[in-house]
Amino acid sequence: MIDFAFMSDTLLKLLGALPTTLTLFFSSLALGLLLALVVVAMRVSRWPLLSYPARFYIMLFRGTPLLIQMFLIYYGLGQFPAVRHSVLWVVLKSPYGCAVISLALCTAGYTAEIIRGGLQSVPRGQIEAGQAVGMSRWTLLWRVIGPITLRQALPAYSTEAVLLVKSTALASLVTVWDVTGVAQQIIQRTYRTMEVFICAALIYLVLNFLVVRAVAWVEHRLSPHLRERPLGAPGKPTPETAPHS
Amino acid sequence: MSTHVQAALSVANIHKAFGAAQVLKGISLDAHKGDVISILGASGSGKSTFLRCINLLETPDEGRIVLDGETIEMKRHRDGRLLPGSNRQVEAMRSKLGMVFQSFNLWSHMTVLQNVIEGPMRVLKRARAECVEEAEHLLHKVGLYDHRDYYPAHLSGGQQQRVAIARALAMNPQVMLFDEPTSALDPELVGEVLRVMRALAEEGRTMLVVTHEMGFARHVSNRVVFMQGGQIDCEGTPSELFEGLPTERFRQFVSSHQQRNHE
């Protein structure tokens, strides 16, 4: 019943579209992260003039469907001559550009909130300790707040990355030939929905497995302080008098 | 108080309110080089807030701070609050004031050694090798050289606090501020931290110590300040205070502590 020859042929065709899916993912992840840093910097600002636009941004992009955002950017923006005549058109005239922009805009909203959660988890006392030795704001951000935030935010960020991998499938609906797009094309020609979509799902599954492992590896590398203390080191601290903070 | 000899640290007329609560009502204190001043008081008397105002972790509403002859510039915000005039000056001043916190506040993502060299390297911009050498010397002194590659989470409270003292000393500060350094420790760990502090006092370090340790106040410090309700109730040498018992409040405070220790 299962046609292995067809499946392996399909898998190969779908793998041909993998570079598109991968570049969609990595470019929107990178762009989204950069944007998220700006949004979160505004969001935690004391000035309402900065924090309210950021709040609005986060609400807007988390509160509306990504598919609609993508359609609005792909079908909607091109209607305005001002957009068509601006430098933005270089990116927005292509389906691929629209997909990257909308994926990045959307993930930035979520990522900003993830980073904000990480920022809030930085113990006040460790910030004060930095201030007390005379660190400037930048040194404090770079040496204390940043590293602690990064470690705190990584688990949630890996979930966001996984969601983003899956969201790239939506790009097929604005005519980008990614894995899902090619899968649909094959289905239209062969009417063999099951085999083709199972192959496509398999590719996303492996991709996400790798993403989760990669982030977990980074997390492990960055968190020696949460692991066991060094083996064979002298002067065992007594566990019952373990840290208060 | 002598004004002829320049004080290492001079703090005058500090006021601080949190909302409607007036926590500090005009505190002045001069610390001369080599002074070890214990600041005592019931909880809520404002002693920790006072210490935190000195290095501007809390910004006082009113008052003047002079460190080694240099007055910290303050400016008044439109809404009447006092703000530091120059962040750079505040940072420079803080680098000359070592602070030891009640809850240690070691940087959790850095090893013991990294915690100690961080300030000298990033704030004083000194060479790494030089910082490491000095840090190892300091860690020897507080008895934690063998633990230099541990992370704070792997140390006991007393060990963490000794690292925190080494971290503060690494900046070679002119004055050390201790904010209840033993209050978060289990009783059996208090001694190891007090021993390090006593050794510093004997070296001639200038120290301001907010504490509940009567023994330290009485036997190690050369001056004792007793705070009550945001003001200085009485101050003097340990014998003037503990033998003279100049005020009723201080008498009560001492007797309540004696009772507690006898229980």
Side-chain angles (χ1 to χ4, degrees), chain B residues 40-108:
Chain B
L40 303 177
S43 49
S45 59
K47 55 197 191 306
S48 280
T49 305
F50 171 59
L51 203 70
R52 291 165 57 83
C53 279
I54 295 175
N55 65 358
L56 296 174
L57 285 180
E58 304 285 354
T59 315
D61 301 330
E62 200 71 56
R64 212 168 102 96
I65 299 160
V66 185
L67 178 63
D68 204 22
E70 186 183 343
T71 305
I72 307 307
E73 292 163 34
M74 301 295 274
K75 65 184 179 199
R76 206 163 284 282
H77 189 261
R78 266 169 299 160
D79 59 17
R81 283 181 306 140
L82 216 53
L83 289 174
S86 142
N87 282 337
R88 187 162 297 180
Q89 193 195 25
V90 170
E91 286 153 16
M93 177 214 38
R94 283 172 174 164
S95 74
K96 296 177 199 161
L97 291 170
M99 177 89 166
V100 175
F101 297 88
Q102 180 176 354
S103 47
F104 333 130
N105 296 347
L106 294 178
W107 296 304
S108 57

Side-chain angles (χ1 to χ4, degrees), chain B residues 36-219:
Chain B
V36 177
I37 302 177
S38 288
I39 302 171
L40 303 177
S43 49
S45 59
K47 55 197 191 306
S48 280
T49 305
F50 171 59
L51 203 70
R52 291 165 57 83
C53 279
I54 295 175
N55 65 358
L56 296 174
L57 285 180
E58 304 285 354
T59 315
D61 301 330
E62 200 71 56
R64 212 168 102 96
I65 299 160
V66 185
L67 178 63
D68 204 22
E70 186 183 343
T71 305
I72 307 307
E73 292 163 34
M74 301 295 274
K75 65 184 179 199
R76 206 163 284 282
H77 189 261
R78 266 169 299 160
D79 59 17
R81 283 181 306 140
L82 216 53
L83 289 174
S86 142
N87 282 337
R88 187 162 297 180
Q89 193 195 25
V90 170
E91 286 153 16
M93 177 214 38
R94 283 172 174 164
S95 74
K96 296 177 199 161
L97 291 170
M99 177 89 166
V100 175
F101 297 88
Q102 180 176 354
S103 47
F104 333 130
N105 296 347
L106 294 178
W107 296 304
S108 57
H109 58 296
M110 297 181 195
T111 64
V112 164
L113 184 69
Q114 286 167 344
N115 263 281
V116 179
I117 62 176
E118 183 68 14
M121 276 182 67
R122 305 286 164 179
V123 177
L124 304 180
K125 316 277 185 202
R126 288 169 49 198
R128 187 189 167 86
E130 193 188 324
C131 296
V132 169
E133 193 181 329
E134 193 174 319
E136 288 181 341
H137 170 71
L138 288 169
L139 287 173
H140 264 302
K141 195 155 135 181
V142 299
L144 286 168
Y145 177 76
D146 290 340
H147 293 70
R148 64 193 179 283
D149 294 326
Y150 279 47
Y151 286 89
H154 303 138
L155 300 177
S156 73
Q159 290 170 327
Q160 290 192 53
Q161 194 60 298
R162 285 185 281 149
V163 174
I165 292 172
R167 173 174 71 176
L169 286 173
M171 299 294 288
N172 196 18
Q174 295 174 1
V175 180
M176 290 277 283
L177 307 174
F178 291 85
D179 185 10
E180 302 198 30
T182 57
S183 297
L185 297 176
D186 293 336
E188 70 269 26
L189 301 177
V190 168
E192 61 187 72
V193 172
L194 287 180
R195 268 195 299 281
V196 169
M197 289 170 63
R198 180 190 276 265
L200 294 180
E202 283 161 4
E203 272 176 25
R205 289 261 172 201
T206 313
M207 295 160 67
L208 255 61
V209 185
V210 168
T211 187
H212 289 288
E213 293 296 328
M214 290 299 163
F216 183 88
R218 198 161 184 166
H219 302 298

Side-chain angles (χ1 to χ4, degrees), chain A residues 3-4 10 21 28 30 36-37 44-46 87 93 113 123-124 150 153 156 161 165 191 195 227:
Chain A
D3 183 348
F4 284 104
T10 303
T21 291
S28 52
L37 291 175
V44 299
S45 165
R46 259 170 297 179
V87 281
K93 72 181 175 193
E113 281 299 275
R124 181 87 202 114
L150 181 65
V165 168
Y191 296 102
E195 287 104 323
R227 296 203 292 270

